[in-house]
Amino acid sequence: MSIDRRNFLRMSASTGAAAAAFAALPLSIRNALAVEPAVETGTIKDLKHIVILMQENRGFDHYFGTMKGVRGFGDRFPVPLESGKPVWYQSNGAVEIAPFHLDPKKFNALLAPSTTHSFADSQAAWNQGKFGNWPKYKKDNSMGYYKREDIPFQFALAEAFTICDAYHCSITSGTDPNRIPFFSGSNFNPALGAQGINCTDTDAEPVNVRCWIANPAVDKWPVPGYTYKDTAFKWPTLPDLLEQAGISWRIYQDPNDNWTGAMHGCLAFESFRTAQPGSPIYKNGMSLWTLDDLATDVKNGTLPQVCWVLPSRVFSEHPGGPSSPLKGSNFTEQVLNALTANTEVWSKTAFFLTFDENDGLFDHVPPPAVPSYNLDGTLAGKATLKLEGEYFSDPAGKYRDATDTISGSIRPYGLSARVPMYVISPWSKGGWVTSQVFDHTSMGMFLEKRFGITVPNVSPWHRAVCGDLTSAFDFTHPADAALPKLPDTSNYAVLDAQQRSMLAYTLPTKHQPLFQESGTRFSRKLPYELHVNAAVKAGISVELTFANTGTQGAVYHVYDKMHLDRIPRRYTVETGKTLTDIWDVSADNGKHDLWVYGPNGFVRVFKDDAETIANVANPECRVCYDIANGDVYVKFSNTGEQACTLTIKDNAYGNEPRVSKIEPGKEVEQSWSLRKSGNWYDFSVTADTLNGYTRRFAGRVETDQHGLSDPAMGTA
């Protein structure tokens, strides 16, 4: 179903997304929203300025798990734990801890302490996709989250512009490991990766080393200068590539107040370490450029084409102080005020705001990643492209927790947990969500798209799976302006002091009910057209075929509920390609219960509790898409020897149950209109002659049109 802008605005009002979202926003966001885009070509070329701010250590569920219209705590398909419980029930080694509200009205929640966030504890908490022991390795407060009333500026920004709910940090580790790919496109030596060589710490950054100044009390810039703790990387940074292409750029920072270099991912690289006075790298990437300078450049119309803004430690938004969500929002407001002071400049600008990593804060969505290695050296999954070079090699176990024995010395780099990404521009107004998979390499791919440069460091796997952030914009039909008023952030010091006067947080004595606001939000069109089909050989095997007829690669996660002690299998399928894999179910007498997860709520379930019986029906379902109409149709087949009757039940969107009798060797087709659900579907299929037989298929049909978020999410 095609929905034009006027219809979207009507739908927005009817769902409460218009008036409610913009009722009380701060002046900085009001100013940003009031400016219409400067449309010349109706393409990305209309963007003349890209401004990028990376803050510190906040997870997506931690900030936005309760916000309507995003994949948060109302997710109806949480992955299962080894215990059989959903992913929410994480253990600290003694008791289970579910997500809980960090309530600033009850205790010092806005200054809650940081959690552990390095390679070893991150790998152990992720557990190669099994999860289960997050607070054991990340501290109990890692399960805490905020609500709308706790962080009003962050919610207001997301409601006014566009939020990405599938943006992941790149590396399962901390600051440096993620800022390095953000500023260069890769964490590991791309030349070795291209040769299929998995890097060690000699050519990759598993933990914080290379960006941190060795002796911050002495190493002042420019005199006597920085000294470094480890060797420099030699592949080009994004600023290097922009400079070579004649694209103007600048890093706004205080070289002596950038958290001892940690905010500056380029400090890991030889081109920056050896930059000489008078050189472009020295002038634009190593010198003092303040927010006042940023404001002056905007007012004078001299803002470079690409800019990075580095926060100080105090304003970095890092948990545990000296920063906080309050200080972070104030810093963001200062940047917004600077950018919007000249409406002509802002009308041609995109401002990206994200976070380097999630601290240790829990996020429930399994990150797309290359397959993990089982202990026997086999891969738990497959890919349609080569995987050698996409792993970190730690033969001595230097970077692994001693209790993390689920896999061996070769570990996936990432992707890792979700972090917030706001896309703020005249082309991204209106409270949208985009659910395409992105990571820190996406920023480099966006610059490629806009300026025609090539970032050679981004690996083929990242290019296959991660988008280039262009789907967060509508350059052809930019949204109408709204004039909200954003929350005031200037009183952050008073609020911080008030928080410090309160008691430290305490865990709730019992699990709190999960909460997510009901309602939808505008959702950008996505490049996904995914398929998974099953072929069951009774009593012997289940073969799954993964296909991708969309325009972006995807990772399928398969959780075997009969064997949740095993590492989930992951399958990377590039666009236009297929993969097959087989589950031997003979030891289980043919029983199987396989759950397949993909992006944006794509789910397939293949389950049969019945033991092998000869001469029975063997039904199967093949889900197909009516792209032109945004509908779904299913082909039901029966390769068995008896007829069976299938019952099809709608699990979420109100369609009436249907019944189909399938004769042996025959096929029946049924279709469903998905207009009233915004092209979302969730059906279960059961068979009368096969106890325990279930097939389930859920997701959204993509029509190359913008739509709405899942109307059933947030009501669970």
Side-chain angles (χ1 to χ4, degrees), residues 36-220:
E36 291 294 326
V39 177
E40 297 177 1
T41 66
T43 71
I44 193 174
K45 297 297 183 183
D46 291 338
L47 277 180
K48 307 303 181 185
H49 307 283
I50 314 297
V51 181
I52 306 160
L53 169 61
M54 176 176 271
Q55 292 284 74
E56 280 282 293
N57 295 41
R58 298 290 175 175
F60 190 87
D61 277 345
H62 168 70
Y63 262 12
F64 294 119
T66 65
M67 188 170 75
K68 68 180 179 183
V70 300
R71 194 149 301 278
F73 295 138
D75 193 341
R76 295 182 302 113
F77 298 104
V79 298
L81 300 175
E82 187 171 350
S83 65
K85 296 180 180 180
V87 70
W88 316 115
Y89 295 95
Q90 299 289 313
S91 173
N92 67 2
V95 298
E96 288 179 343
I97 302 176
F100 65 92
H101 180 205
L102 285 166
D103 190 347
K105 295 178 182 178
K106 295 181 178 178
F107 44 73
N108 182 1
L110 293 175
L111 296 172
S114 181
T115 67
T116 48
H117 48 277
S118 193
F119 187 87
D121 54 83
S122 298
Q123 281 280 321
W126 174 48
N127 207 13
Q128 305 304 300
K130 285 180 60 178
F131 293 91
N133 297 299
W134 199 278
K136 176 180 177 180
Y137 295 102
K138 297 289 194 177
K139 299 183 182 179
D140 291 348
N141 64 299
S142 66
M143 302 300 292
Y145 63 84
Y146 297 120
K147 292 183 178 180
R148 180 182 294 271
E149 59 268 26
D150 308 326
I151 50 172
F153 186 92
Q154 284 81 354
F155 269 72
L157 203 59
E159 297 286 13
F161 293 98
T162 295
I163 190 74
C164 303
D165 71 350
Y167 186 102
H168 295 257
C169 44
S170 294
I171 307 295
T172 312
S173 186
T175 294
D176 277 17
N178 281 287
R179 286 184 179 260
I180 287 170
F182 190 67
F183 276 92
S184 76
S186 182
N187 171 280
F188 56 90
N189 188 329
L192 294 179
Q195 298 174 47
I197 298 172
N198 294 323
C199 290
T200 66
D201 58 2
T202 301
D203 291 283
E205 182 86 340
V207 297
N208 292 335
V209 178
R210 286 177 169 87
C211 297
W212 292 73
I213 298 163
N215 190 352
V218 175
D219 295 347
K220 302 302 180 183

Side-chain angles (χ1 to χ4, degrees), residues 416-435:
S416 188
R418 294 183 303 166
V419 291
M421 162 63 95
Y422 313 80
V423 181
I424 306 159
S425 86
W427 288 271
S428 60
K429 296 185 292 188
W432 292 79
V433 62
T434 180
S435 299

Side-chain angles (χ1 to χ4, degrees), residues 91 267 270 302 398:
S91 173
L267 294 185
E270 185 174 87
T302 56
K398 179 180 177 182

Side-chain angles (χ1 to χ4, degrees), residues 195-254:
Q195 298 174 47
I197 298 172
N198 294 323
C199 290
T200 66
D201 58 2
T202 301
D203 291 283
E205 182 86 340
V207 297
N208 292 335
V209 178
R210 286 177 169 87
C211 297
W212 292 73
I213 298 163
N215 190 352
V218 175
D219 295 347
K220 302 302 180 183
W221 188 267
V223 178
Y226 295 154
T227 58
Y228 301 95
K229 298 180 180 180
D230 206 340
T231 57
F233 294 142
K234 296 184 179 181
W235 61 89
T237 66
L238 298 181
D240 288 317
L241 297 170
L242 293 171
E243 185 65 34
Q244 292 167 15
I247 309 299
S248 61
W249 64 276
R250 181 163 295 158
I251 298 175
Y252 292 88
Q253 62 154 342
D254 182 343

Side-chain angles (χ1 to χ4, degrees), residues 37 56 86 97 209 250 260 273-274 300 330 363 375 423 437 488 497 502 506 534-535 540 602 694 711:
E56 280 282 293
I97 302 176
V209 178
R250 181 163 295 158
T260 64
R273 293 187 181 185
T274 60
N300 293 340
N330 182 257
D363 190 77
L375 280 175
V423 181
V437 170
D488 180 26
M502 301 181 73
T506 56
I540 299 175
F602 177 93
T694 302

